Amino acid sequence: MRLFRLAKILSVSSRFGLDEMILEHEPSGRLAALSRIFHFWRRFDKPRSERLRLALEALGPIFVKFGQVLSTRRDLLPLDIADELAKLQDRVPPFPPEQALQQIEAAYGRPANEVFAEFDPVPVASASVAQVHFARLRPEDGGHEVAVKILRPNMHGVIDHDLALLDTMAGLLEKIWSDGKRLKPREVVAEFAKYLHDELDLMREAANCSQLRRNFADSKLLLVPEVFWDHCTTTVMVMDRMRGVPISQKDALVASGVDLSALSKAGVEIFFTQVFRDGFFHADMHPGNIFVAIDEANRGKYIALDFGIVGTLTDVDKNYLAQNFLAFFRRDYKRVAMAHIEAGWAPADTRVDEFEAAIRAVCEPIFDRPISEISFGRVLLRLFQTSRRFNVEIQPQLFMLQKTLLNIEGLGRQLDPNLDLWKTAKPFLERWMSEQLGPRAFLRNLRNEAPNWARIVPQFPRLVHQALTREPAAELAPILAELARTQRLQNRWLGVIAVLLAALLVVQYLSL
């Protein structure tokens, strides 16, 4: 199946002329000329950007998601390609209404008109793994206006084949590329596969939505839809219908009275709150999944949609990342280098002064500049070169965080090119570190552990008395017996050796 899938990828690439887009960057031009000779019959009447989008759509959901991520990187892509790939965010070709109705009947065991008071068979949005329809619940269920998300049919097989091919390519990369093992491509693919399979279970997505809504229940910055659990299955998810303007429609936002500068700063705060306060973050924050409320009560609030992919971080991860961010913001490059070594990301024998100097050379030029003047593509390239020089290992568990950071940068660049990311994020991180390491954190930890102390402390006298009066542990007896037996055996052998040495000395003496 992997070979068939590879053949399809090559066939689609040839049909849409993707090979020309790649080979045209080859300096000599010979490979591009050779390709044109072998494909002399091809004629393209569509621009390259549209052909690339159509090719990604033809190749399936994984490639569509790849295009979604690329569409936010306008500093790395030509504008025509970035604009065209942006259509993948919510304008992927939908599957037919008949299939949507079949999916609903298969999920509930009854047709849509018996489940909902109203159901629009025409989708309002179509993404790589699912599409959304508007509906209204029956009066006995509350009569709410809802959004119904329906999984695309036969998705599991397609994704499994693509992931198998990616795993094969990653294994080949490890063998033929000197940096392959350090970058852990197979582990990254495995991490990506886990998140993709999670996205195919809409009950899991509903749980993610519910958790994020609970985390931001009283937020003045973010709205999250309510989930109607009685109508959720693994293939259908029903949630509150949210009204707003897509974040990519800047003119409409301005016309509605939304302050784009404040909106961009709020986006940064929402992201850092999710990462460092909750360790639970929306990991698919491309513009198609983010709306902005424009009604009087909630004007300027973000609306989060599509919760199929979320990321989680441990307390160790959060603390490590916060220390690194703060060190970067304070230009304490020695602390950044030490944090990498202490976390085991860089070898223990790494020269701290050399690592510090290399990080300074990459980061120093970008400070005190707005996003519009920073080429993060070049920064990432130089950081990659630095990591390769010092054998820094890529951490697969942070793969989704890295992807989300790229999305956040893309959103910030679109809303406010003059946003100073450093000044916006630094106060938040300093406040978070103070809460984690300061007196309030100590008191909070005391309160959290108090229930355990109430149970354990009264037992101390009895436990101490038992420890002092207890006979040697029964489980140690066999070990002690074995040690004693081994000691006796060694003594016997030492005795035999001593006798043999004495006999040898006597023989040598008599021979004299």
Side-chain angles (χ1 to χ4, degrees), residues 424-474:
T424 304
K426 183 179 176 181
F428 177 88
L429 286 173
E430 289 178 334
R431 184 171 65 252
W432 183 85
M433 287 295 288
S434 174
E435 292 173 353
Q436 296 300 306
L437 303 178
R440 283 183 293 179
F442 178 73
L443 294 176
R444 184 175 63 251
N445 291 333
L446 286 179
R447 287 195 302 269
N448 292 339
E449 293 295 332
N452 294 328
W453 294 349
R455 178 176 56 86
I456 295 174
V457 170
Q459 302 179 35
F460 276 176
R462 176 171 54 82
L463 294 174
V464 172
H465 180 266
Q466 289 178 352
L468 294 175
T469 59
R470 182 184 304 162
E471 295 294 331

Short mmCIF file of all heavy atoms in Angstrom, two decimals, residues 424-474:
data_model
loop_
_atom_site.label_atom_id
_atom_site.label_comp_id
_atom_site.label_asym_id
_atom_site.label_seq_id
_atom_site.Cartn_x
_atom_site.Cartn_y
_atom_site.Cartn_z
N THR A 424 5.19 42.37 24.54
CA THR A 424 3.86 41.88 24.88
C THR A 424 3.92 40.66 25.78
O THR A 424 3.14 40.52 26.73
CB THR A 424 3.07 41.54 23.60
OG1 THR A 424 3.05 42.69 22.75
CG2 THR A 424 1.66 41.12 23.92
N ALA A 425 4.85 39.76 25.50
CA ALA A 425 4.90 38.48 26.22
C ALA A 425 5.71 38.55 27.51
O ALA A 425 5.42 37.82 28.46
CB ALA A 425 5.49 37.40 25.31
N LYS A 426 6.70 39.41 27.58
CA LYS A 426 7.60 39.42 28.74
C LYS A 426 6.88 39.65 30.07
O LYS A 426 7.10 38.90 31.03
CB LYS A 426 8.70 40.48 28.54
CG LYS A 426 9.71 40.50 29.67
CD LYS A 426 10.78 41.56 29.41
CE LYS A 426 11.75 41.65 30.59
NZ LYS A 426 12.77 42.70 30.36
N PRO A 427 6.00 40.66 30.22
CA PRO A 427 5.32 40.85 31.52
C PRO A 427 4.50 39.64 31.93
O PRO A 427 4.46 39.29 33.12
CB PRO A 427 4.42 42.07 31.28
CG PRO A 427 5.02 42.76 30.11
CD PRO A 427 5.61 41.70 29.26
N PHE A 428 3.85 39.01 30.97
CA PHE A 428 3.05 37.82 31.30
C PHE A 428 3.94 36.71 31.85
O PHE A 428 3.62 36.08 32.86
CB PHE A 428 2.30 37.34 30.06
CG PHE A 428 1.51 36.08 30.29
CD1 PHE A 428 0.21 36.16 30.76
CD2 PHE A 428 2.07 34.84 30.08
CE1 PHE A 428 -0.52 35.00 31.00
CE2 PHE A 428 1.36 33.68 30.31
CZ PHE A 428 0.05 33.76 30.77
N LEU A 429 5.06 36.46 31.19
CA LEU A 429 5.95 35.38 31.63
C LEU A 429 6.58 35.70 32.99
O LEU A 429 6.73 34.81 33.83
CB LEU A 429 7.04 35.15 30.59
CG LEU A 429 6.59 34.43 29.32
CD1 LEU A 429 7.71 34.40 28.30
CD2 LEU A 429 6.13 33.02 29.64
N GLU A 430 6.94 36.95 33.21
CA GLU A 430 7.50 37.32 34.51
C GLU A 430 6.46 37.11 35.62
O GLU A 430 6.80 36.62 36.71
CB GLU A 430 7.97 38.77 34.47
CG GLU A 430 9.21 38.97 33.63
CD GLU A 430 9.64 40.42 33.56
OE1 GLU A 430 8.78 41.31 33.73
OE2 GLU A 430 10.84 40.67 33.34
N ARG A 431 5.22 37.47 35.32
CA ARG A 431 4.16 37.27 36.32
C ARG A 431 3.94 35.78 36.58
O ARG A 431 3.77 35.36 37.73
CB ARG A 431 2.88 37.93 35.82
CG ARG A 431 1.71 37.87 36.81
CD ARG A 431 0.54 38.74 36.37
NE ARG A 431 -0.06 38.26 35.13
CZ ARG A 431 0.04 38.86 33.96
NH1 ARG A 431 0.75 39.97 33.84
NH2 ARG A 431 -0.55 38.37 32.89
N TRP A 432 3.97 34.99 35.52
CA TRP A 432 3.77 33.55 35.67
C TRP A 432 4.90 32.92 36.49
O TRP A 432 4.65 32.09 37.37
CB TRP A 432 3.68 32.88 34.30
CG TRP A 432 3.40 31.42 34.37
CD1 TRP A 432 2.19 30.81 34.48
CD2 TRP A 432 4.38 30.36 34.35
NE1 TRP A 432 2.34 29.45 34.53
CE2 TRP A 432 3.67 29.15 34.44
CE3 TRP A 432 5.77 30.33 34.25
CZ2 TRP A 432 4.31 27.91 34.45
CZ3 TRP A 432 6.41 29.09 34.26
CH2 TRP A 432 5.68 27.91 34.35
N MET A 433 6.14 33.31 36.20
CA MET A 433 7.28 32.76 36.95
C MET A 433 7.19 33.15 38.42
O MET A 433 7.52 32.36 39.31
CB MET A 433 8.59 33.24 36.34
CG MET A 433 8.91 32.58 35.00
SD MET A 433 9.21 30.81 35.13
CE MET A 433 10.81 30.81 35.94
N SER A 434 6.76 34.38 38.69
CA SER A 434 6.60 34.81 40.07
C SER A 434 5.56 33.96 40.79
O SER A 434 5.74 33.57 41.95
CB SER A 434 6.20 36.29 40.12
OG SER A 434 5.91 36.69 41.45
N GLU A 435 4.47 33.63 40.09
CA GLU A 435 3.44 32.80 40.70
C GLU A 435 3.91 31.37 40.92
O GLU A 435 3.46 30.69 41.84
CB GLU A 435 2.19 32.81 39.81
CG GLU A 435 1.49 34.16 39.75
CD GLU A 435 0.36 34.18 38.74
OE1 GLU A 435 0.22 33.16 38.01
OE2 GLU A 435 -0.36 35.19 38.67
N GLN A 436 4.83 30.90 40.06
CA GLN A 436 5.30 29.53 40.19
C GLN A 436 6.40 29.37 41.23
O GLN A 436 6.50 28.32 41.88
CB GLN A 436 5.84 29.04 38.83
CG GLN A 436 4.78 28.95 37.76
CD GLN A 436 3.66 28.02 38.12
OE1 GLN A 436 3.89 26.86 38.44
NE2 GLN A 436 2.43 28.52 38.08
N LEU A 437 7.23 30.40 41.38
CA LEU A 437 8.40 30.28 42.24
C LEU A 437 8.36 31.18 43.47
O LEU A 437 9.19 31.04 44.36
CB LEU A 437 9.67 30.61 41.42
CG LEU A 437 9.89 29.75 40.18
CD1 LEU A 437 11.15 30.22 39.44
CD2 LEU A 437 10.02 28.27 40.53
N GLY A 438 7.42 32.11 43.54
CA GLY A 438 7.37 33.06 44.64
C GLY A 438 6.61 32.54 45.85
O GLY A 438 6.21 31.37 45.92
N PRO A 439 6.38 33.44 46.84
CA PRO A 439 5.67 33.05 48.07
C PRO A 439 4.27 32.51 47.81
O PRO A 439 3.82 31.58 48.47
CB PRO A 439 5.62 34.36 48.87
CG PRO A 439 6.74 35.19 48.32
CD PRO A 439 6.87 34.82 46.89
N ARG A 440 3.56 33.11 46.81
CA ARG A 440 2.21 32.62 46.52
C ARG A 440 2.22 31.18 46.05
O ARG A 440 1.33 30.39 46.37
CB ARG A 440 1.55 33.52 45.48
CG ARG A 440 1.04 34.84 46.04
CD ARG A 440 0.32 35.65 44.97
NE ARG A 440 1.24 36.10 43.94
CZ ARG A 440 0.88 36.82 42.86
NH1 ARG A 440 -0.38 37.13 42.69
NH2 ARG A 440 1.77 37.20 41.98
N ALA A 441 3.26 30.83 45.26
CA ALA A 441 3.37 29.45 44.80
C ALA A 441 3.61 28.50 45.98
O ALA A 441 3.05 27.40 46.03
CB ALA A 441 4.50 29.32 43.77
N PHE A 442 4.44 28.95 46.94
CA PHE A 442 4.71 28.12 48.12
C PHE A 442 3.43 27.88 48.91
O PHE A 442 3.13 26.74 49.31
CB PHE A 442 5.76 28.81 48.99
CG PHE A 442 6.08 28.07 50.25
CD1 PHE A 442 6.84 26.90 50.22
CD2 PHE A 442 5.62 28.52 51.48
CE1 PHE A 442 7.12 26.21 51.39
CE2 PHE A 442 5.90 27.85 52.64
CZ PHE A 442 6.66 26.69 52.60
N LEU A 443 2.66 28.94 49.14
CA LEU A 443 1.41 28.79 49.88
C LEU A 443 0.41 27.93 49.12
O LEU A 443 -0.32 27.12 49.72
CB LEU A 443 0.81 30.17 50.16
CG LEU A 443 1.62 31.06 51.12
CD1 LEU A 443 0.97 32.44 51.22
CD2 LEU A 443 1.73 30.42 52.50
N ARG A 444 0.36 28.10 47.80
CA ARG A 444 -0.57 27.29 47.01
C ARG A 444 -0.21 25.81 47.08
O ARG A 444 -1.09 24.95 47.23
CB ARG A 444 -0.55 27.76 45.55
CG ARG A 444 -1.56 27.02 44.68
CD ARG A 444 -1.61 27.59 43.27
NE ARG A 444 -0.35 27.44 42.57
CZ ARG A 444 0.47 28.43 42.28
NH1 ARG A 444 0.16 29.67 42.64
NH2 ARG A 444 1.60 28.23 41.64
N ASN A 445 1.08 25.51 47.02
CA ASN A 445 1.50 24.11 47.13
C ASN A 445 1.20 23.54 48.51
O ASN A 445 0.85 22.36 48.65
CB ASN A 445 3.00 23.98 46.82
CG ASN A 445 3.31 24.26 45.36
OD1 ASN A 445 2.45 24.04 44.49
ND2 ASN A 445 4.52 24.73 45.08
N LEU A 446 1.34 24.38 49.55
CA LEU A 446 0.98 23.92 50.89
C LEU A 446 -0.50 23.55 50.95
O LEU A 446 -0.86 22.52 51.54
CB LEU A 446 1.30 25.02 51.92
CG LEU A 446 2.77 25.25 52.27
CD1 LEU A 446 2.89 26.38 53.29
CD2 LEU A 446 3.41 23.99 52.82
N ARG A 447 -1.34 24.41 50.36
CA ARG A 447 -2.77 24.12 50.38
C ARG A 447 -3.09 22.84 49.60
O ARG A 447 -3.93 22.03 50.00
CB ARG A 447 -3.55 25.30 49.78
CG ARG A 447 -3.62 26.52 50.69
CD ARG A 447 -4.70 27.48 50.20
NE ARG A 447 -4.46 27.92 48.84
CZ ARG A 447 -3.77 29.00 48.50
NH1 ARG A 447 -3.20 29.75 49.43
NH2 ARG A 447 -3.60 29.33 47.23
N ASN A 448 -2.41 22.66 48.46
CA ASN A 448 -2.68 21.46 47.64
C ASN A 448 -2.28 20.18 48.35
O ASN A 448 -2.93 19.14 48.18
CB ASN A 448 -1.95 21.57 46.30
CG ASN A 448 -2.51 22.68 45.42
OD1 ASN A 448 -3.65 23.11 45.60
ND2 ASN A 448 -1.72 23.14 44.47
N GLU A 449 -1.20 20.25 49.15
CA GLU A 449 -0.71 19.05 49.83
C GLU A 449 -1.36 18.84 51.19
O GLU A 449 -1.19 17.78 51.79
CB GLU A 449 0.82 19.14 50.01
CG GLU A 449 1.59 19.10 48.71
CD GLU A 449 1.44 17.77 47.98
OE1 GLU A 449 1.21 16.75 48.68
OE2 GLU A 449 1.53 17.74 46.75
N ALA A 450 -2.11 19.83 51.68
CA ALA A 450 -2.69 19.73 53.02
C ALA A 450 -3.55 18.48 53.20
O ALA A 450 -3.47 17.81 54.24
CB ALA A 450 -3.49 21.00 53.33
N PRO A 451 -4.42 18.10 52.23
CA PRO A 451 -5.21 16.88 52.43
C PRO A 451 -4.36 15.64 52.64
O PRO A 451 -4.70 14.77 53.45
CB PRO A 451 -6.04 16.79 51.14
CG PRO A 451 -6.11 18.19 50.64
CD PRO A 451 -4.80 18.81 51.00
N ASN A 452 -3.24 15.55 51.94
CA ASN A 452 -2.36 14.39 52.13
C ASN A 452 -1.71 14.42 53.52
O ASN A 452 -1.57 13.39 54.16
CB ASN A 452 -1.27 14.37 51.06
CG ASN A 452 -1.84 14.12 49.67
OD1 ASN A 452 -2.84 13.42 49.53
ND2 ASN A 452 -1.21 14.69 48.66
N TRP A 453 -1.32 15.63 53.96
CA TRP A 453 -0.72 15.72 55.29
C TRP A 453 -1.72 15.32 56.37
O TRP A 453 -1.38 14.66 57.34
CB TRP A 453 -0.25 17.15 55.56
CG TRP A 453 0.87 17.58 54.66
CD1 TRP A 453 1.61 16.81 53.82
CD2 TRP A 453 1.37 18.91 54.51
NE1 TRP A 453 2.53 17.55 53.16
CE2 TRP A 453 2.42 18.86 53.56
CE3 TRP A 453 1.04 20.13 55.08
CZ2 TRP A 453 3.13 19.98 53.17
CZ3 TRP A 453 1.76 21.26 54.69
CH2 TRP A 453 2.79 21.17 53.75
N ALA A 454 -2.97 15.74 56.22
CA ALA A 454 -3.99 15.41 57.22
C ALA A 454 -4.15 13.91 57.37
O ALA A 454 -4.50 13.42 58.44
CB ALA A 454 -5.32 16.05 56.83
N ARG A 455 -3.87 13.19 56.29
CA ARG A 455 -3.99 11.74 56.36
C ARG A 455 -2.71 11.08 56.87
O ARG A 455 -2.75 10.08 57.60
CB ARG A 455 -4.34 11.20 54.96
CG ARG A 455 -4.45 9.69 54.88
CD ARG A 455 -4.89 9.27 53.48
NE ARG A 455 -4.01 9.79 52.45
CZ ARG A 455 -2.87 9.19 52.05
NH1 ARG A 455 -2.47 8.07 52.65
NH2 ARG A 455 -2.13 9.73 51.11
N ILE A 456 -1.54 11.64 56.51
CA ILE A 456 -0.27 10.98 56.80
C ILE A 456 0.30 11.36 58.16
O ILE A 456 0.81 10.50 58.89
CB ILE A 456 0.75 11.32 55.68
CG1 ILE A 456 0.26 10.72 54.34
CG2 ILE A 456 2.13 10.79 56.03
CD1 ILE A 456 1.12 11.13 53.17
N VAL A 457 0.23 12.65 58.53
CA VAL A 457 0.89 13.12 59.75
C VAL A 457 0.45 12.34 60.99
O VAL A 457 1.30 11.94 61.82
CB VAL A 457 0.67 14.63 59.93
CG1 VAL A 457 1.14 15.08 61.32
CG2 VAL A 457 1.43 15.40 58.85
N PRO A 458 -0.84 12.09 61.21
CA PRO A 458 -1.22 11.33 62.41
C PRO A 458 -0.62 9.92 62.47
O PRO A 458 -0.55 9.32 63.55
CB PRO A 458 -2.76 11.26 62.30
CG PRO A 458 -3.13 12.43 61.47
CD PRO A 458 -2.03 12.57 60.48
N GLN A 459 -0.18 9.41 61.34
CA GLN A 459 0.38 8.06 61.32
C GLN A 459 1.87 8.03 61.66
O GLN A 459 2.44 6.94 61.85
CB GLN A 459 0.18 7.44 59.93
CG GLN A 459 -1.27 7.36 59.49
CD GLN A 459 -1.40 6.76 58.09
OE1 GLN A 459 -0.64 5.87 57.72
NE2 GLN A 459 -2.35 7.25 57.32
N PHE A 460 2.52 9.21 61.72
CA PHE A 460 3.96 9.25 61.93
C PHE A 460 4.42 8.49 63.18
O PHE A 460 5.36 7.68 63.11
CB PHE A 460 4.44 10.70 61.99
CG PHE A 460 4.70 11.30 60.64
CD1 PHE A 460 5.06 12.64 60.50
CD2 PHE A 460 4.61 10.54 59.48
CE1 PHE A 460 5.30 13.19 59.26
CE2 PHE A 460 4.85 11.07 58.23
CZ PHE A 460 5.18 12.41 58.11
N PRO A 461 3.84 8.74 64.37
CA PRO A 461 4.34 8.03 65.56
C PRO A 461 4.29 6.51 65.40
O PRO A 461 5.24 5.80 65.76
CB PRO A 461 3.41 8.51 66.67
CG PRO A 461 2.92 9.83 66.19
CD PRO A 461 2.78 9.70 64.73
N ARG A 462 3.17 6.00 64.85
CA ARG A 462 3.06 4.55 64.69
C ARG A 462 4.07 4.02 63.68
O ARG A 462 4.69 2.98 63.90
CB ARG A 462 1.64 4.21 64.24
CG ARG A 462 1.41 2.73 63.94
CD ARG A 462 -0.07 2.45 63.71
NE ARG A 462 -0.63 3.30 62.68
CZ ARG A 462 -0.52 3.05 61.35
NH1 ARG A 462 0.13 1.97 60.94
NH2 ARG A 462 -1.07 3.86 60.48
N LEU A 463 4.25 4.76 62.58
CA LEU A 463 5.20 4.32 61.55
C LEU A 463 6.63 4.33 62.07
O LEU A 463 7.42 3.41 61.79
CB LEU A 463 5.08 5.22 60.31
CG LEU A 463 3.74 5.14 59.56
CD1 LEU A 463 3.70 6.18 58.43
CD2 LEU A 463 3.53 3.75 58.99
N VAL A 464 6.98 5.36 62.84
CA VAL A 464 8.33 5.42 63.42
C VAL A 464 8.55 4.27 64.40
O VAL A 464 9.61 3.61 64.40
CB VAL A 464 8.56 6.78 64.11
CG1 VAL A 464 9.87 6.77 64.88
CG2 VAL A 464 8.56 7.91 63.08
N HIS A 465 7.55 4.00 65.26
CA HIS A 465 7.67 2.90 66.22
C HIS A 465 7.84 1.57 65.51
O HIS A 465 8.68 0.73 65.89
CB HIS A 465 6.43 2.87 67.13
CG HIS A 465 6.47 1.78 68.15
ND1 HIS A 465 5.88 0.55 67.94
CD2 HIS A 465 7.05 1.73 69.39
CE1 HIS A 465 6.09 -0.22 68.99
NE2 HIS A 465 6.79 0.48 69.90
N GLN A 466 7.07 1.34 64.46
CA GLN A 466 7.18 0.10 63.70
C GLN A 466 8.56 -0.03 63.06
O GLN A 466 9.14 -1.12 63.04
CB GLN A 466 6.09 0.04 62.63
CG GLN A 466 4.69 -0.17 63.17
CD GLN A 466 3.65 -0.18 62.07
OE1 GLN A 466 3.96 0.11 60.91
NE2 GLN A 466 2.40 -0.49 62.43
N ALA A 467 9.08 1.08 62.55
CA ALA A 467 10.39 1.03 61.90
C ALA A 467 11.49 0.69 62.89
O ALA A 467 12.46 -0.02 62.56
CB ALA A 467 10.68 2.37 61.21
N LEU A 468 11.37 1.20 64.14
CA LEU A 468 12.41 0.96 65.14
C LEU A 468 12.34 -0.43 65.74
O LEU A 468 13.36 -0.99 66.16
CB LEU A 468 12.30 2.01 66.25
CG LEU A 468 12.61 3.46 65.82
CD1 LEU A 468 12.36 4.41 66.98
CD2 LEU A 468 14.06 3.59 65.34
N THR A 469 11.15 -1.01 65.82
CA THR A 469 11.00 -2.32 66.51
C THR A 469 10.88 -3.48 65.54
O THR A 469 10.92 -4.63 65.97
CB THR A 469 9.74 -2.29 67.38
OG1 THR A 469 8.59 -2.01 66.57
CG2 THR A 469 9.86 -1.22 68.46
N ARG A 470 10.74 -3.21 64.27
CA ARG A 470 10.52 -4.27 63.29
C ARG A 470 11.75 -5.16 63.16
O ARG A 470 12.88 -4.69 63.18
CB ARG A 470 10.16 -3.66 61.95
CG ARG A 470 9.85 -4.68 60.85
CD ARG A 470 9.61 -3.98 59.54
NE ARG A 470 8.54 -2.99 59.65
CZ ARG A 470 8.35 -2.01 58.79
NH1 ARG A 470 9.18 -1.87 57.77
NH2 ARG A 470 7.36 -1.16 58.97
N GLU A 471 11.52 -6.47 63.02
CA GLU A 471 12.60 -7.40 62.70
C GLU A 471 13.07 -7.13 61.28
O GLU A 471 12.36 -6.49 60.48
CB GLU A 471 12.08 -8.84 62.81
CG GLU A 471 11.65 -9.25 64.20
CD GLU A 471 12.85 -9.31 65.14
OE1 GLU A 471 13.97 -9.57 64.67
OE2 GLU A 471 12.66 -9.07 66.34
N PRO A 472 14.26 -7.61 60.92
CA PRO A 472 14.71 -7.41 59.53
C PRO A 472 13.64 -7.86 58.55
O PRO A 472 12.99 -8.88 58.75
CB PRO A 472 15.97 -8.29 59.44
CG PRO A 472 16.48 -8.35 60.84
CD PRO A 472 15.26 -8.33 61.73
N ALA A 473 13.45 -7.08 57.55
CA ALA A 473 12.39 -7.35 56.58
C ALA A 473 12.50 -8.76 56.03
O ALA A 473 13.58 -9.24 55.72
CB ALA A 473 12.47 -6.33 55.44
N ALA A 474 11.35 -9.42 55.95
CA ALA A 474 11.34 -10.80 55.49
C ALA A 474 11.89 -10.93 54.08
O ALA A 474 12.57 -11.90 53.75
CB ALA A 474 9.90 -11.34 55.54
#
